[in-house]
Amino acid sequence: MIPFAYSRPGGMAEAVEAVTDDPGAAFLAGGTNLVDHMKLGLASPTCLVDVREVVDDGVEELPGGGAWIGAGTTNSELAAHPLIRRRYPLLSSALLAGASGQLRNMATTGGNLLQRTRCVYFQDVTTPCNKREPGSGCSALEGYGRDNAVLGASEQCVATHPSDMAVAMLTLDAKVRVLGQSGERRVPLADFHRLPGAEPERDTVLEHGELITGVELPPPPEGARSAYRKVRERASYAFALVSVAALVRVRGGRIEDARISFGGVAHAPWRARRAEEVLRGRPVTEMAFRVAAETEFTEARPGRDNAFKVPLAINTCAAVLRSLTGVNG
């Protein structure tokens, strides 16, 4: 038995102070990721500060047509909320593609954004892992690599980010609201998760003690259509080999706006800026879809076991765009 303290703060400011003052403390909400890590020996917090009762847990419509999602909102509640289903079906689809019904009932919006990689070497404490123990080495570079990143990786880490929800939120231009001892700040989701670089142990830009309080979604573009597609080893309860979240608006036979994000291909949810730039203003054709997707992966660096991810991502992206625009492949 590994001892740890447990605290139930009276408010968010008290929770932030408790974790900031203790380098070994951690926030606890649904616990679907953290508790697993404690069981595996990946995490050993000195104190768990339970924030489930102090952070917002609902969805509200914002002036102008956007939405506010409290960090304590469960994945099940968020996926089923009428506003989300009506205005952001992309997000609802992505949430329902993740985990299982039981886990979605516990997992929270804030915790989902903070979940860590499912790389088999990160989860195996008997193997070297720079994310778990900086400077020890990356076992995945020469080991089992089917799930490894093909974009944005480094010699320090080739792990991928596991969230479905984050891929959809990235496409929707979400902003994460964070509370720390110096006050509140808003972080665009595009800047929230980090690529590994020389510090793979840092998944996000959060400082110790900063608490996610919620997520803001701007109104979706008028007339846009969106979809989420996840390719995995089995039909349910599996992480993505590749996933695609796309939002497209077509006018006069041309693509007026396009937003595309990939999951399963990088250390962070990957916004396909190059593909988006290629698509804007182009006629709605199969060729345009494929050229855009191929452009995004021109700098892909797959390993021995995961070269299949590049054509899989390109084909999946093209298929999603076809479904949104009515183009026959």
Side-chain angles (χ1 to χ4, degrees):
M1 178 68 68
I2 301 175
F4 59 88
Y6 174 79
S7 170
R8 298 184 69 179
M12 290 190 291
E14 184 180 330
V16 167
E17 183 177 5
V19 173
T20 302
D21 291 346
D22 183 350
F27 294 118
L28 173 71
T32 57
N33 196 207
L34 177 58
V35 173
D36 281 347
H37 287 178
M38 292 173 68
K39 292 177 180 178
L40 291 169
L42 304 178
S44 53
T46 56
C47 179
L48 293 180
V49 179
D50 193 336
V51 297
R52 193 64 181 265
E53 299 299 321
V54 300
V55 293
D56 291 343
D57 62 354
V59 177
E60 298 178 9
E61 184 173 7
L62 295 174
W68 160 256
I69 303 165
T73 309
T74 68
N75 288 178
S76 291
E77 291 168 339
L78 185 57
H81 196 279
L83 178 64
I84 300 301
R85 293 179 62 186
R86 182 178 69 253
R87 194 167 295 172
Y88 307 97
L90 167 65
L91 178 56
S92 184
S93 296
L95 286 160
L96 293 174
S100 65
Q102 295 92 330
L103 286 170
R104 291 194 295 269
N105 287 340
M106 288 295 296
T108 63
T109 298
N112 190 298
L113 292 175
L114 294 174
Q115 64 179 307
R116 308 203 73 190
T117 184
R118 264 57 176 194
C119 175
V120 295
Y121 298 105
F122 171 71
Q123 295 187 320
D124 182 355
V125 295
T126 68
T127 62
C129 171
N130 287 322
K131 179 175 283 296
R132 190 180 64 247
E133 186 180 348
S136 62
C138 177
S139 298
L141 285 173
E142 300 298 331
Y144 174 79
R146 185 171 173 80
D147 297 323
N148 291 351
V150 296
L151 291 170
S154 73
E155 288 299 310
Q156 301 298 314
C157 182
V158 291
T160 55
H161 194 272
S163 175
D164 294 286
M165 184 194 79
V167 179
M169 285 189 170
L170 181 61
T171 305
L172 295 169
D173 287 339
K175 291 184 179 179
V176 183
R177 193 181 295 180
V178 175
L179 179 66
Q181 281 207 317
S182 59
E184 188 177 71
R185 63 182 178 129
R186 289 171 172 81
V187 183
L189 190 58
D191 300 326
F192 183 79
H193 295 101
R194 297 181 67 259
L195 294 178
E199 297 179 291
E201 71 277 13
R202 295 186 60 210
D203 294 338
T204 73
V205 298
L206 292 185
E207 300 295 335
H208 181 70
E210 286 192 306
L211 174 66
I212 296 176
T213 61
V215 175
E216 297 174 4
L217 298 178
E222 185 177 351
R225 300 184 64 191
S226 63
Y228 182 77
R229 184 169 298 189
K230 180 177 182 178
V231 182
R232 45 191 163 179
E233 297 280 11
R234 55 183 183 270
S236 65
Y237 199 51
F239 296 101
L241 292 170
V242 166
S243 65
V244 177
L247 183 150
V248 177
R249 182 169 61 186
V250 176
R251 183 171 297 178
R254 292 182 178 272
I255 299 170
E256 186 174 67
D257 189 17
R259 303 181 197 170
I260 303 169
S261 300
F262 288 93
V265 300
H267 188 265
W270 187 271
R271 185 70 179 261
R273 303 288 186 185
R274 293 182 177 183
E276 293 173 358
E277 185 64 28
V278 169
L279 284 172
R280 290 191 184 99
R282 294 282 292 271
V284 178
T285 65
E286 170 72 13
M287 179 63 72
F289 302 157
R290 297 200 66 83
V291 169
E294 289 169 358
T295 300
E296 190 63 42
F297 284 85
T298 53
E299 294 186 5
R301 296 293 181 267
R304 179 188 61 234
D305 301 326
N306 67 345
F308 72 93
K309 280 195 174 187
V310 175
L312 179 61
I314 292 169
N315 291 336
T316 304
C317 182
V320 171
L321 293 173
R322 286 198 302 270
S323 72
L324 293 176
T325 59
V327 171
N328 295 320

